[in-house]
Amino acid sequence: MTIYKDKFSISKPVRLGIVGGGQLGKMMAFEAKRMFMKVTILDPNKDCPASNLADKLIIGDFSDEQKIYDLSREVDIITYEIELANATALNNLEESGFLVHPSPKTLSIIQNKYRQKKFLRENRITVPDFELVSSEEQLMQYCSKSGFPVLLKACEDSYDGRGNYLIRSENEISKALTHFSGRQCMVEKFVYFKKEISIMIARNLSGTISYFPIAENIHEDHILKTSIIPARISKETERKAINLAIMTMKSLKGSGIFGIEMFVDEEDNVLINEIAPRPHNSGHYSIEACSISQFEQHIRAILDYPLLQPILLSNAVMINILGPNNYTGPYEITGIDELFAIPGVKIHIYGKLETKPNRKLGHITIVSNSVDPILTKGNVEDLLKVQESSS
Ligand code: AMP
């Protein structure tokens, strides 16, 4: 079932519901508003980044079943910008014929890291070796078989590396397990990667698949700091990554945009690290550097519009503005005026009222075919500072 086909009526615009009003919800709402849709957002925070763009904000938790049903009464179609959306409520809606995309069935596979990796492995998609952890003895056995280091990962509610614990030797095993005590965990072989890359790939309801140019991602403290586009990889690695992404989309069956994060190891094997069933930080560059943004592509995909292959209009470097790792509270960002003096700079400030350690507060995209990504990163980091608010 699709909506909004063949005609556009000003008096009856598409009513889009988004679970989550963070920066991804904000940028999605921005594109939806450009195309004259009505946007209703569900978020626990009345001052969330998307709050001043939404036509209506429903205050409530992403996991609150009742609030998801409230959202469905306001809109024609629901999507989400966050994996924490209540998959059971969304699934009930889908089963009753309501439009929810990507499918909540896909969401519930992805929500749990073990289920996600198991699904990929069963579909012959290359992932690092892993096992579910059932006891300390079994984890010991895994480590003695695979060697150190390994990563212990909390299967749910973990993002931006916050649910990962690096185990370097046998005497760190029980400390790692205590760290996640009570949570379901999996163990994963450590990948000595040359590069981390990602692809934004979309599929519409009719099954057309389209992908964006590959981004090369640099993480600091397990958080994405910089993306360089196009990724500095060989044609052969690019081909392998695109094949894996297409295989993943074909097996997942969901529609919408997906961010697929991958490792390129020392032998140039490409392995999937993680899938996000939504727009992704590493795809923000598409707003300025491509013929279509990841957010418009997502909206097109879930409304079953044509999905064209995005054209890269310019090389780009995207740099996240992150909160300092030793401060929580009101903040200010300095250096913006100097930044505006750099040609090709676009600045995005999300409007979060408080910073927290490593919180994503905004990002900068520099579009230019002549920038040196590493030099640019250094310049931006020297100029831009997030600090405690003086007022
Ligand atoms: P995740 O939250 O699992 O996506 O992990 C966050 C970051 O941790 C990744 O972007 C990598 O830098 C690192 N990481 C995750 N899994 C592995 C792995 N198996 N081997 C090496 N590094 C990893």
Side-chain angles (χ1 to χ4, degrees):
M1 185 165 60
T2 59
I3 48 174
Y4 201 33
K5 276 291 196 197
D6 302 325
K7 63 170 191 253
F8 174 83
S9 156
I10 287 286
S11 60
K12 214 169 167 292
V14 167
R15 298 172 305 158
L16 177 69
I18 309 175
V19 181
Q23 61 270 20
L24 300 175
K26 175 180 181 173
M27 290 182 264
M28 200 189 295
F30 197 84
E31 292 285 59
K33 297 296 297 174
R34 181 170 58 78
M35 295 182 277
F36 201 69
M37 297 175 187
K38 291 275 175 246
V39 177
T40 302
I41 282 180
L42 168 65
D43 196 279
N45 179 0
K46 73 170 178 38
D47 298 310
C48 63
S51 59
N52 59 357
L53 275 174
D55 294 282
K56 185 165 180 181
L57 186 65
I58 298 177
I59 310 286
D61 205 84
F62 317 118
S63 59
D64 185 333
E65 205 164 329
Q66 209 47 55
K67 294 287 179 181
I68 302 248
Y69 298 139
D70 291 349
L71 177 64
S72 73
R73 281 188 283 275
E74 301 282 336
V75 299
D76 303 309
I77 178 166
I78 291 184
T79 188
Y80 41 87
E81 58 123 46
I82 184 159
E83 285 94 326
L84 300 175
N86 185 319
T88 311
L90 292 173
N91 196 44
N92 291 341
L93 285 172
E94 187 184 50
E95 304 233 302
S96 72
F98 192 85
L99 295 176
V100 182
H101 293 294
S103 163
K105 297 190 177 59
T106 307
L107 174 65
S108 60
I109 295 172
I110 289 176
Q111 267 175 342
N112 180 295
K113 284 191 180 187
Y114 173 70
R115 253 194 325 262
Q116 181 187 136
K117 286 260 160 67
K118 187 164 166 279
F119 174 87
L120 291 171
R121 191 159 65 187
E122 283 167 2
N123 283 281
R124 300 177 186 284
I125 295 164
T126 325
V127 290
D129 189 56
F130 68 95
E131 252 178 37
L132 192 64
V133 173
S134 54
S135 66
E136 186 165 340
E137 297 69 56
Q138 177 248 343
L139 178 55
M140 290 262 197
Q141 265 177 25
Y142 181 90
C143 293
S144 58
K145 189 179 69 189
S146 84
F148 292 98
V150 296
L151 274 163
L152 186 66
K153 296 188 169 187
C155 295
E156 290 192 358
D157 298 340
S158 55
Y159 58 95
D160 288 342
R162 286 190 185 109
N164 293 353
Y165 196 109
L166 182 68
I167 304 178
R168 283 161 298 197
S169 65
E170 198 175 321
N171 47 28
E172 287 179 344
I173 289 182
S174 72
K175 205 167 142 208
L177 283 171
T178 314
H179 182 77
F180 292 129
S181 129
R183 295 172 72 183
Q184 185 194 42
C185 289
M186 60 181 266
V187 56
E188 191 170 283
K189 201 171 161 63
F190 188 85
V191 178
Y192 289 95
F193 53 80
K194 285 204 300 206
K195 275 194 199 300
E196 290 193 74
I197 57 172
S198 59
I199 306 191
M200 300 310 305
I201 183 162
R203 177 188 159 112
N204 66 9
L205 295 167
S206 308
T208 306
I209 291 177
S210 151
Y211 53 86
F212 284 76
I214 300 179
E216 172 182 338
N217 300 321
I218 301 170
H219 291 78
E220 288 171 21
D221 280 345
H222 301 281
I223 294 209
L224 181 65
K225 181 73 191 177
T226 309
S227 294
I228 299 165
I229 301 92
R232 296 165 300 175
I233 50 175
S234 68
K235 278 277 159 223
E236 177 60 11
T237 303
E238 182 184 2
R239 193 191 53 76
K240 284 185 198 166
I242 292 169
N243 279 347
L244 272 189
I246 292 175
M247 275 171 75
T248 305
M249 286 309 275
K250 286 189 172 159
S251 27
L252 273 178
K253 296 191 182 77
S255 63
I257 199 153
F258 291 69
I260 305 191
E261 294 182 79
M262 303 174 185
F263 299 128
V264 182
D265 76 7
E266 284 164 333
E267 282 82 46
D268 286 320
N269 299 306
V270 181
L271 305 91
I272 292 194
N273 172 38
E274 194 152 58
I275 305 172
R278 52 166 172 80
H280 190 261
N281 194 172
S282 64
H284 291 351
Y285 77 90
S286 60
I287 297 175
E288 287 88 9
C290 290
S291 52
I292 187 164
S293 79
Q294 60 166 342
F295 301 98
E296 178 176 341
Q297 192 80 321
H298 179 67
I299 294 170
R300 283 187 182 218
I302 63 176
L303 295 178
D304 204 23
Y305 280 120
L307 290 188
L308 305 176
Q309 201 62 26
I311 301 164
L312 185 65
L313 303 172
S314 163
N315 291 355
V317 179
M318 189 286 310
I319 301 164
N320 272 336
I321 306 173
L322 301 174
N325 54 20
N326 54 2
Y327 173 68
T328 297
Y331 63 98
E332 51 198 26
I333 303 172
T334 57
I336 291 178
D337 38 356
E338 287 97 330
L339 211 83
F340 275 129
I342 304 175
V345 162
K346 270 275 158 59
I347 184 156
H348 296 247
I349 306 282
Y350 304 148
K352 297 176 184 175
L353 296 185
E354 275 207 340
T355 180
K356 293 179 190 165
N358 280 332
R359 191 171 201 197
K360 290 173 180 167
L361 303 172
H363 74 267
I364 285 152
T365 302
I366 302 167
V367 286
S368 166
N369 284 328
S370 59
V371 291
D372 175 334
I374 299 307
L375 216 68
T376 310
K377 177 175 181 297
N379 280 345
V380 170
E381 278 164 357
D382 285 347
L383 287 176
L384 265 191
K385 296 273 179 269
V386 178
Q387 59 198 39
E388 190 170 340
S389 176
S390 56
S391 51

